[in-house]
Amino acid sequence: MEKFIIWLLPLPPLLSFFVILLFTNKNKALSHSIAVGAAGLSWLGSMIIFIRALGVKEFGKHIFGSSINWLPTGSTWLRIGVQIDPFSAVVVFFVAWTVLAIFVYSIGYHNFGQPKGDHDVAGLPPHGATVTENGHKHTIPSIEPMYSRFFAFISLFAFGMYTLVVSDNLLTLFVGWEIMGLCSYLLIGFWFGKPSARNAAVKAFMTTRIGDVFMLLGIAFVYSFTGSLSFSEIFKPEMLHALASTPAFFGLSAAGIIGLLLFIGTVGKSAQWPLHVWLPDAMEGPTPVSAMIHAATMVSAGVYMVIRMFPLISAGWTEGMPLNTTMSVIAFIGAFTALFAATIAVAQNDIKRVLAYSTISQLGFMIAALGVGAYVAAAFHLVTHAFFKALLFLGSGSVIHGMEHGVLHTGEQVDAQDMFNMGGLRKKMPITFWTFLIGGFALSGFPVLTAGFWSKDEIFAEAFGNGHLAVFIILAVAAFLTAFYTMRQITLTFFGKPRTTAAEHANETTWTMTVPLIVLSIFAVGFGWVGIPEQFPGLGGLVPNWFHEFVGGTLAELPKAVEFSWVPLITSLCVALGGLFLGWLMYRKVKSPKQDFLQIPVLKNKWYFDEIYNFVFVKPAYWIAEKFTSLYMDQTVIDGFLHSVARFSLFLGHAFRNYFDKPVINEFIGDGTGNVVKVSGSGLRKIQAGRIQYYMVVSISVLVIFALLYYFMIGGR
Amino acid sequence: MSIPLNWYLILAAALFSIGLFGVLSRKNAIAILLGVELMLNAVNINLVAFWRYLDPVKMAGQVFAIIVFAVAAAEVAVGLALIISVYRRRRTVVADEIDLMKW
Amino acid sequence: MTADKIIFLLCAVLILASALMVVTTRKLIHAALWLVAALFGVAILYAVLQASFLAVVQVVVYIGAIAILFIFAVMLTRREMLDKGVQTRSNWWLPALLGLLILAGLVFLILGQPAFGRTAAEMPAGVDTLRNLGTALVSPDAFVLPFEVASVLLLAALVGAVYIASGKKE
C-alpha cells in the first residue's frame, strides 16, 4: 500500500502541469484549482506515508521501497524505483507542507480576483489597473497576465522535487535534479520581458550546469565501479569498503573522488562558494518562486543529495577520526560560504537579496555540518531552515505586495523592495509582521522558542564536540552576522516610522497569502522541539530526541549523540541574542542608507565576484565564440576551405569545359566526325560525276582488278 | 572447216575489246553507240561460232543471234531517239556534258 | 593454210581494221561508214560459218537499218559537233589499257580451254538449217515465245523512239 502511494507521489503535480498547459490556460480559476488540488493530493499522500513511517519500529531497517527492472544492461538490469527511509520521510514531510503553502500563497500573490491591468503585457510584471470608486480614481494591483502558466511551471517544479525525494537511485534523482534546474530557469525568467530576468535565468542555468557536469561524472564513476545506481546497492557495507579502499585519482580513494564530484553538483545547486553567483540574481523571479526554489526545495535538494550520499562520503571514517579529504573539502566550503555570504548580507538593501544571501549562508551551515560528520544535525537544520526560510520569503513577498499597493495608491515611483523605503509596517501589516518576526528569530537562532535554535545549536555542538574548532569559530561568527542582519532587516522594514508615503499606505495582504504564513510559522516554532538533545540542561529528556533516533536510523549505525558541553550552548546564545540586540540597536533610528555605515562598497558589491567571473570566464567565452570560433575558425578557416574547394571545382569545371569538352568532344569528336563525313562525302561524291563513261571506266577497272586478284590469289590453273 | 574454234573466239574477243574502248573513250554519244554495236556484233560472232562448232542441228544458237539482232535494233532506235531528244534540249551530244545526274 | 583459213584471216583483218577506224576516226560520218564495213565483214564470216540466213539478215538489218539510222542521227546532230577537236576523251589510255587487259584475259581463258581448239565437224547431211531455224522460231516447244516477245520489244522500241524523238511542243 505504501509503495503504491510512494510511486504516485510525484504524479499529481505532473498531471497538473500538462493539464494546465494544454487545456486550462485561459481559465485562471480552474488552473489554480487544479494546481492547488494536485499539490494537496501529493500533500495527502506524503502525510500518509509520514504517519505510516512513524509507526514502524526501527524504520531505518524496514524502509518502504519498491523498484522495478528498467534498463537491460547485458546480463543484469538497471533498476529504478522509489524508497522512503527515515530521512526522506522527514524531507517529504516538509516538502509537502512548503509546496502546498507556496501554491496557496501564489494565488494571492498574483492578485487573483483583481482586474486586468491598464497596460499589462505578458512577460512583464503587472502594473496596476485604474478603477473608479465613488468618483475617485485610483490604481490598484492587477492580475498577473501569465497566471496559469505560473501554476503550470510550479507544478512541474513540484514534480521534480518529489521525484528527487522519493527516488531510490542516482538516476531518477538526477532526473528530478535536472527538471528542477529547468524549472528554475523557466521561473526565474518568468517575466521574460525584463532583460535582467532573462540574464538571471541564463546565469542560474549555466552556473548550476557546471555543477551538474561534475555530478554526472560522479554518477558515471559510481556506475562503472559498482555496476549499479541504487542506493541500497551502493551503500552496502562491502561496497562502501571496496570504494573506500580502492585508490583513484589525485591520491583519493574511489569513494573520495565520487563524493567530491557529487559534492560539486551540490556546490552548484545549493549556491555554495564559488558557484554562488546565481542565487542573488534569481530574486528576479516572483517571490513564490524565490520561496520555493531558493528556500524550501531546490537548494535543499543539493543538501539532500549530499546528505543522502553521506555513507559514501564518509566511507572509511568513523566518529573521532580525523576527517578524510572529501569531508574536509566539504566542511571548508560550507564554513567559508556561511561566513562569506553573511558578510555580504549585512550590506544589502533589497529585502529579498538579504534573504538570498541568508539562504546561501544557512546552506553553508548545513554543508559544514555534514563535512564534520554531523549527519543528523545537517538533516535537522535542513528541515527547520526550509520552514523558516520559506516563511521569510513569503513574508517578504507579502511586504512587497503591501508596499506596491501603497506605491500604486500614491503614484510614488519608489522601489517597493528597498528596505530603506519601508518602515513602520508593523502597524500596517500585523500578521505579516508577527510571522516575519517568528521566521527571523528562527533564522537567528532565538533560544528555545524557535526551531532554528535547536538545529543550529546541534551543529555547533557537533562541530565543537568533535574538535573541529576552526569550523566552529567560523560558524559562530557567521551566526552572529546572521542574527545581526536579520534584525537589521526587521528593524528597517517593520519598526520606526514609514520613510515614504508609499509605506504609509501599505495594506495587509489577502488571506491566501497570510494563512500560509501562519501555517509555516507554526512549524518554524514547533518543529525544533522534536530534536531536543537528551542532555540539554532543563529541557533535555522531557521530550525524547525523536529526530535523532528517527533520522539517525537511516544510517547503518545510529550515530551517537555528542557529549553535552556548555561551550557551544553559551556561544550560540551569545551570538544569537547579541546579534539581534545589536541589529535592533543600530538600525532603529536609521532613516537613509547614508546613515548605515555598513554600506561598504566591497560588501555591497558581493566581494566583486560577479565582476571577477565576468572578466575571467564570461568575456573570454564571448571572445572565443565571436572572434575565435566564429571569425577565425568558422569564417576564415572552414569557410575559406570550402570556398577554395568551390573555387577549385569551378576552375575544374571551366578547365574541363574549355580544354576538354569544347575542343575535344565538341570539335574533335562531334564536329570532327561531321567534318570527316563532310570531307569524305565531298571527296567521295566526285565519283558520281554524272558521266556514263566515267562510271563504266570505273566499273570495268574494278572488274578487271577483281578478275586479276581472283586469278592470282584464289583461282588459277 | 579446219579453222579452230578459238580463232573465232579470239576474233570476237578482240572486236569486243575494241568496242569497249570505243564506248569508254569517245566523246560523242553517237560514237559511243557505235562502240556498243561493235560489242554486240562480237557477241553474235561468238554465238554463231558456237552454234556451228558444237551442235549445228539445234537452232538455239541462231535463234539467240536473231534475238540479239532484234534487241540491237531496238536499242539503237531508242538510243538515238534519246540522243536526238537530248540534243534538241541541250544542244550538245558530248556525253561528258550530259551530267545533270552528278552530285 | 587452207583456203578457208585465208578467207578467215582476210575477213578478220577487215573486221578489226574497220572496228579500229570506227573508234578512232575523227569524223563521225566516217565512223559510221567504217561501221558498215565492219558489219559487212561480220556478214562474210556468217557465210563462212554456213549460217547463210544470218549473213543476209546481218546485211539487211544491221547495215540496211541500223547503220542507216546512225547516219541519220549523225546528220541530225551535225551542226553542233562539226567534228572539231579531238574526239576521244583525254584519258583514253585507261580504256585502252582496260581493253587490252580484258582482251588478254579473254584470250588467256580461251586458249586455256583445250576444248575450244577443235575444228568444226561436217554439217550432217540432210540438215536444212533454214527450215530448222524457221521451225524453231515458231514452234511452241521451241522458241516461239522469245520470238514473240522480241516482236513486242520491237514494237515498244518503235513507239518509244517515236515518242522520245518527236519532242514535246514546249
Side-chain angles (χ1 to χ4, degrees), chain B residues 25-26 37 52 54 88, chain C residues 25 39 50 62 89 118 165:
Chain B
S25 72
R26 293 285 273 178
E37 285 310 307
R52 173 65 184 86
L54 292 180
R88 283 213 190 103
Chain C
T25 183
L39 293 175
Q50 293 174 313
Y62 252 110
R89 297 168 80 233
R118 65 174 180 206

Side-chain angles (χ1 to χ4, degrees), chain A residues 324-361:
Chain A
N324 64 28
T325 320
T326 312
M327 292 171 77
S328 308
V329 169
I330 293 178
F332 167 72
I333 289 192
F336 180 79
T337 306
L339 185 58
F340 173 74
T343 56
I344 301 180
V346 302
Q348 298 300 313
N349 294 339
D350 185 317
I351 193 172
K352 280 169 72 172
R353 295 260 157 157
V354 176
L355 293 174
Y357 283 105
S358 163
T359 305
I360 299 177
S361 178

